[in-house]
Amino acid sequence: VIVRLTLSYRGTAYSGWQRQANAPSVQQTVEEALERLLGCSLRIVGASRTDAGVHARGQVAHLELAAPFPVRGLVHGTNHLLPQDVRVMAAAEMPAGFHARKSAAAKEYSYRASRAEVLSPLDAPFTVQVPRQVDPTLLAAAAGRLAGRHDFSAFAASGGSHRQPWRTIFAAEWQERGQELFFRVVGDGFLRGMVRALVGTMLDVGCGRRNVESFAALLRGADRTAAGPAAPAHGLVLEKVFYPAPFILPGEAPPPVW
Amino acid sequence: VIVRLTLSYRGTAYSGWQRQANAPSVQQTVEEALERLLGCSLRIVGASRTDAGVHARGQVAHLELAAPFPVRGLVHGTNHLLPQDVRVMAAAEMPAGFHARKSAAAKEYSYRASRAEVLSPLDAPFTVQVPRQVDPTLLAAAAGRLAGRHDFSAFAASGGSHRQPWRTIFAAEWQERGQELFFRVVGDGFLRGMVRALVGTMLDVGCGRRNVESFAALLRGADRTAAGPAAPAHGLVLEKVFYPAPFILPGEAPPPVW
């Protein structure tokens, strides 16, 4: 049976999702808890390879089990064995053919920034401080150019190995909440480092260091050096992964369409 | 000169605001940072004695300085010396007569609960898990009875030493945000343990263990044992302290009126 896990984690203490030889990863942490619970060795496959320090509310992973296991037992049993900064939010048996990464039709990320002079300790682990003069109107204008299918080469981190740099953005917007600036983006896929590079470049626009047209021009393909710096990891949250039928769970939204 | 500090802290690691002989307090932590910065011994007075584990976004404290000190230097200098879970959000010189506790005209607290089966690690330090069957309509009905002047004896923790148990509530409401339930209350003052006892008793109403009328009856004065249990500390945040003129800082709201 193929089991789907929905995972939430605070990325602060991890070198990212992906298992690595000499650094703590979320993947390895979850695998070790499942191995202790189930008494067998196993591997899980995540939908998104979130970077070091990036958080998740709705990461999805799958694993194959030789025999069925009650899903509520899987949720609570695994959580009992996990450290406090990683949680299995839900588990479900999936139809044959489900693959957390390959079946994914879209993903949603959020990014939280604040213009406050001092960040509250309640927000600081999840919020990036940006200059007071960042103009929400300019951020909104930049985000307004993102929807559609573009060549995102200018926003791909050098370590990425993507066959093609075209991705479709279904929705992208900045919300202003007092001093806070909250970015939300939904796309059919994201190149490595793409959201952080987009946010960093939009913040350049917001500060007046770059204009909206020069940002929009980068969406037609360009060298990574043409775009702005990557925004820090700890503002980024993988919110949700969307799957098409027959992999949509009860209560879940279908993938967005363009 | 009298200086007002606005403070935010994550209460998890502290035994509360108030300085204690053998336990770490927020007050002592802030005093020690100020003493290192200013090179003199001093005491600060806080507006609210938040309990162990309770958080703050807008605690207010005052201190007396023999000589003026630049307030931006006080903010950033103190923050440099404070641990990451306590921050001075702002500092201001105040007119003579200002006293953080005695001048306070009103306070605002919030309480965050969730009916989710598993809490995200991003929310868990600030959110209390409540039974799935808690009914937001019943919570709203209970909160709707709070506005006005009442005898809150039934909601006063036994350790408190209040001359009189009458307090005025200006506003009280529960908001539903998906699985989350968010309570906000503004009053001219709160007895020791009062917000947590109110929340715990309203959650009893929300679960059907008590009806709205029996909750409302407790607002006419009763023994503490007549009300429900105190809700856990880590859902509670001291959001704001209101002061009357001439102590209102630029950008701050005046105290609410009844």
Side-chain angles (χ1 to χ4, degrees):
Chain A
V1 288
I2 299 174
V3 174
R4 171 192 151 159
L5 304 176
T6 308
L7 299 158
S8 180
Y9 44 88
R10 178 179 159 132
T12 316
Y14 296 93
S15 61
W17 167 264
Q18 190 81 350
R19 188 182 261 270
Q20 292 180 31
N22 299 307
S25 64
V26 180
Q27 181 188 358
Q28 182 178 354
T29 302
V30 176
E31 283 171 352
E32 286 174 356
L34 286 165
E35 286 173 345
R36 279 184 64 192
L37 182 74
L38 301 172
C40 61
S41 87
L42 54 81
R43 281 293 173 272
I44 59 176
V45 177
S48 170
R49 300 183 180 181
T50 55
D51 281 342
V54 172
H55 314 293
R57 286 190 176 274
Q59 168 75 294
V60 173
H62 80 265
L63 68 156
E64 289 203 45
L65 293 178
F69 191 95
V71 290
R72 280 180 66 96
L74 204 59
V75 170
H76 294 291
T78 312
N79 283 337
H80 182 68
L81 298 169
L82 280 169
Q84 284 199 332
D85 51 7
V86 181
R87 280 291 173 270
V88 179
M89 305 301 289
E93 278 191 29
M94 299 301 283
F98 177 77
H99 186 286
R101 188 176 73 249
K102 293 179 187 165
S103 305
K107 292 180 189 132
E108 177 178 333
Y109 285 90
S110 68
Y111 199 93
R112 209 168 144 190
S114 172
R115 291 167 295 170
E117 193 173 342
V118 181
L119 291 185
S120 160
L122 304 186
D123 302 323
F126 319 110
T127 307
V128 170
Q129 205 167 21
V130 297
R132 183 181 289 264
Q133 74 266 25
V134 168
D135 180 348
T137 318
L138 292 173
L139 292 180
R145 309 298 284 270
L146 277 174
R149 190 152 182 84
H150 306 289
D151 175 348
F152 285 99
S153 300
F155 302 96
S158 48
S161 57
H162 299 285
R163 280 156 309 183
Q164 56 87 359
W166 291 81
R167 294 293 183 275
T168 299
I169 301 299
F170 300 113
E173 56 163 3
W174 283 93
Q175 282 174 19
E176 191 179 350
R177 303 177 184 169
Q179 295 286 73
E180 250 189 37
L181 301 165
F182 188 79
F183 179 62
R184 196 185 75 90
V185 62
V186 186
D188 65 353
F190 293 88
L191 306 175
R192 176 142 186 254
M194 177 171 147
V195 182
R196 290 166 59 193
L198 285 170
V199 169
T201 311
M202 285 189 282
L203 288 171
D204 276 356
V205 172
C207 289
R209 269 201 293 273
R210 176 190 291 274
N211 65 38
V212 176
E213 284 312 317
S214 97
F215 172 74
L218 293 170
L219 302 173
R220 296 193 288 270
D223 194 76
R224 175 67 184 87
T225 56
H234 69 279
L236 186 61
V237 180
L238 170 59
E239 294 282 351
K240 209 181 287 184
V241 184
F242 295 88
Y243 293 95
F247 304 131
I248 304 174
L249 299 181
E252 277 192 340
V257 285
W258 176 244
Chain B
V1 286
I2 299 174
V3 173
R4 171 192 151 159
L5 304 177
T6 308
L7 298 159
S8 179
Y9 44 88
R10 176 178 161 133
T12 317
Y14 296 92
S15 61
W17 167 262
Q18 191 81 351
R19 188 181 262 271
Q20 292 181 29
N22 299 309
S25 65
V26 181
Q27 182 188 357
Q28 181 178 353
T29 302
V30 176
E31 284 171 351
E32 286 175 355
L34 287 165
E35 286 173 344
R36 279 185 65 193
L37 182 73
L38 301 170
C40 59
S41 87
L42 53 82
R43 281 292 173 274
I44 59 176
V45 177
S48 169
R49 298 182 182 182
T50 55
D51 281 343
V54 173
H55 314 292
R57 285 188 176 275
Q59 168 75 295
V60 173
H62 80 264
L63 68 157
E64 290 203 42
L65 292 180
F69 191 96
V71 290
R72 280 180 67 94
L74 204 60
V75 171
H76 294 290
T78 313
N79 283 337
H80 183 68
L81 298 168
L82 280 169
Q84 284 199 330
D85 51 8
V86 182
R87 281 289 172 271
V88 179
M89 304 301 287
E93 280 191 26
M94 299 301 282
F98 177 77
H99 185 287
R101 188 177 71 249
K102 293 179 186 166
S103 305
K107 290 178 191 133
E108 177 177 333
Y109 285 90
S110 68
Y111 198 93
R112 210 168 142 187
S114 172
R115 291 167 293 170
E117 193 172 344
V118 181
L119 291 185
S120 161
L122 304 186
D123 301 324
F126 319 110
T127 306
V128 169
Q129 204 166 22
V130 297
R132 183 180 290 264
Q133 74 265 26
V134 168
D135 181 347
T137 316
L138 293 173
L139 292 180
R145 309 298 284 268
L146 278 173
R149 190 152 182 84
H150 307 288
D151 176 348
F152 284 100
S153 300
F155 302 96
S158 48
S161 56
H162 299 285
R163 282 155 307 183
Q164 58 86 2
W166 291 80
R167 295 291 184 275
T168 299
I169 301 298
F170 301 113
E173 56 162 4
W174 282 94
Q175 282 174 21
E176 190 179 351
R177 303 176 183 170
Q179 296 286 73
E180 252 190 36
L181 300 164
F182 188 79
F183 180 61
R184 197 185 74 91
V185 61
V186 186
D188 66 351
F190 293 87
L191 305 175
R192 179 145 183 251
M194 176 171 148
V195 182
R196 288 167 59 193
L198 285 170
V199 169
T201 311
M202 285 189 282
L203 288 171
D204 275 357
V205 173
C207 288
R209 270 200 294 271
R210 176 190 291 275
N211 65 38
V212 175
E213 284 312 317
S214 99
F215 172 74
L218 294 170
L219 302 174
R220 296 192 287 270
D223 195 76
R224 175 67 184 89
T225 56
H234 69 279
L236 185 61
V237 180
L238 169 59
E239 294 281 351
K240 212 181 285 186
V241 185
F242 295 89
Y243 294 95
F247 302 131
I248 304 174
L249 299 181
E252 277 192 340
V257 286
W258 177 241

